[in-house]
Amino acid sequence: MDRRSFLTKASVGGVAAAGAAVLAAPAIAQDAPTVTWRVTSSFPKSLDTIYGAAETMSKYVAEATDGKFQLQIFPAGELVPGLEAADAVSQGTVEACHTVPYYFWGKDPTYALGAAVPFGLNARMMNAWFYHGGGIDMMNEFYATQNLIAFPAGNTGVQMAGWYRKEINSVADLQGLKMRIGGFAGKVIEKLGVVPQQIAGGDIYPSLEKGTIDAAEWVGPYDDEKLGFYKVAPYYYYPGWWEGGPAIATMINLAKWNELTPAYQAILRAGCLVANNDMLSNYDWKNPTALKSLVANGAQLRPLPQDVLSAAFDAAKATYDEVSATNATFKKIKESQDAFRRDAYLNAQIAEYNYDVFMMTQQQAGKL
């Protein structure tokens, strides 16, 4: 065969094939529907980590669909109050929301299991349970009864136990303590004598400053520093036993979800996965710097006393028994998480724990 003739024919064929592919692309794009959804966030724009995860999700979905599928993100209060986001989605007022499921535990405690419960799974365990332990499907069986479907779309990692105007040295110091604390944790901490308060993020600082409340939990160093709590409540306690790995979710109106093409459903699920991974790594990057800054500005770090943690653990178990006795769905999902938690900690104490403890000793010795 003549080499020049072969190359010429191959080149012409290659150009023709490429041209056909180029010509086919617009036709495919034209077949994709144009969809615009409103997504109400439960968070203000100023919290760039949590609010920003929804923007990350939106950007991914838009880019993956050549702009055909648009998620318009609205901060808390612009369309819907932050603590009413799930209701608005369920009723079809908006198509979706980006929120923490435990905000709605008062409607049904099962919501809390989609985010975090006291002494529950940490962030890595939550993701393992969601993606490989059937957690997403179990939660969506419940959410379907609320006209919702949801996917993990963020995690803060284990949170701090909050800011206190006075030191906590024993369980006795919790008696009568007025504390801003959200979610299912309020029901548990009541058993220790604390008076839980539901207060929006923007009202926490003035409430602490005036002494209307004695303590408040929020998230962790990066977000807490933004809100300035260290100026009015100097004692910063850890760990936040009620939020070992709180998952943020994108909740979607079930009817609207079913209207999406399979391709758009897959892209939206992938966008949620991207947001989930991005938020946790974002906090892991930002919290160390913020913690050093808080301490430099006078925050006094304190571990919660062991008797407080033990009493809280027992109170949590008692609360779960009470709820499980009357809520079969809660019981089923909680037992699934508990079974995995036992195995996960059995495994984690071998390699992970020993590696981390050794590296921490090196850090404390100034060798890192």
Side-chain angles (χ1 to χ4, degrees):
M1 174 182 285
D2 179 77
R3 180 173 177 273
R4 181 173 297 174
S5 173
F6 172 79
L7 290 175
T8 301
K9 290 177 181 177
S11 298
V12 170
V15 170
V22 170
L23 289 173
I28 294 172
Q30 288 170 8
D31 289 340
T34 298
V35 176
T36 301
W37 277 8
R38 294 166 302 165
V39 180
T40 184
S41 174
S42 285
F43 315 104
K45 280 187 176 181
S46 58
L47 296 179
D48 58 306
T49 40
I50 300 183
Y51 180 86
E55 294 183 317
T56 298
M57 172 184 68
S58 173
K59 183 174 183 289
Y60 180 93
V61 169
E63 290 178 351
T65 61
D66 288 331
K68 289 282 191 175
F69 189 3
Q70 293 285 340
L71 301 175
Q72 298 176 339
I73 313 301
F74 296 89
E78 191 164 315
L79 292 181
V80 178
L83 299 182
E84 297 176 17
D87 290 336
V89 175
S90 177
Q91 295 162 9
T93 305
V94 292
E95 289 80 9
C97 67
H98 188 245
T99 189
V100 186
Y102 64 45
Y103 284 164
F104 315 103
W105 78 273
K107 292 170 61 67
D108 189 313
T110 308
Y111 273 100
L113 295 172
V117 293
F119 300 101
L121 305 177
N122 66 23
R124 281 183 61 176
M125 292 175 190
M126 280 296 286
N127 282 334
W129 179 75
F130 273 139
Y131 296 118
H132 299 285
I136 291 176
D137 291 339
M138 292 182 75
M139 288 306 305
N140 277 332
E141 285 180 15
F142 163 70
Y143 289 140
T145 68
Q146 313 293 306
N147 195 32
L148 298 167
I149 187 170
F151 302 98
N155 201 302
T156 68
V158 62
Q159 295 190 1
M160 296 290 281
W163 299 87
Y164 297 73
R165 289 164 58 90
K166 65 177 184 178
E167 289 188 81
I168 304 299
N169 295 310
S170 68
V171 176
D173 291 329
L174 298 176
Q175 294 299 313
L177 187 86
K178 297 187 295 295
M179 182 176 185
R180 185 275 176 193
I181 185 167
F184 193 84
K187 185 175 179 65
V188 173
I189 208 168
E190 276 185 315
K191 293 183 183 296
L192 305 184
V194 172
V195 182
Q197 309 284 312
Q198 291 283 355
I199 300 175
D203 297 326
I204 298 175
Y205 184 96
S207 297
L208 276 172
E209 186 177 33
K210 296 172 185 175
T212 307
I213 57 175
D214 306 304
E217 61 82 29
W218 186 240
V219 178
Y222 181 72
D223 286 340
D224 290 5
E225 184 179 34
K226 281 176 173 285
L227 297 180
F229 298 142
Y230 64 93
K231 300 174 184 177
V232 290
Y235 300 105
Y236 198 22
Y237 278 90
Y238 60 89
W241 49 265
W242 47 88
E243 299 194 75
I248 289 78
T250 295
M251 291 184 167
I252 304 159
N253 179 276
L254 188 55
K256 287 295 183 181
W257 169 260
N258 289 331
E259 290 175 5
L260 291 178
T261 65
Y264 278 13
Q265 289 180 347
I267 289 169
L268 182 50
R269 286 198 305 269
C272 291
L273 178 60
V274 170
N276 193 33
N277 290 331
D278 185 71
M279 182 194 288
L280 185 59
S281 59
N282 199 3
Y283 272 115
D284 284 345
W285 178 255
K286 291 175 176 175
N287 276 334
T289 301
L291 184 61
K292 289 188 290 186
S293 175
L294 285 169
V295 172
N297 281 294
Q300 299 187 44
L301 286 174
R302 297 283 191 278
L304 285 172
Q306 287 299 304
D307 71 319
V308 169
L309 290 173
S310 295
F313 185 83
D314 292 341
K317 290 187 68 176
T319 304
Y320 297 139
D321 290 342
E322 294 166 6
V323 175
S324 294
T326 59
N327 189 321
T329 302
F330 179 94
K331 183 176 187 291
K332 173 186 174 182
I333 298 175
K334 185 65 170 66
E335 286 178 347
S336 173
Q337 290 185 350
D338 287 352
F340 175 60
R341 183 181 59 181
R342 286 190 292 272
D343 287 344
Y345 277 115
L346 180 66
N347 176 68
Q349 68 182 308
I350 306 302
E352 295 278 354
Y353 174 78
N354 285 284
Y355 176 80
D356 286 343
V357 168
F358 175 78
M359 293 302 291
M360 289 172 192
T361 61
Q362 302 309 297
Q363 190 272 342
Q364 292 167 2
K367 294 184 178 181
L368 294 188

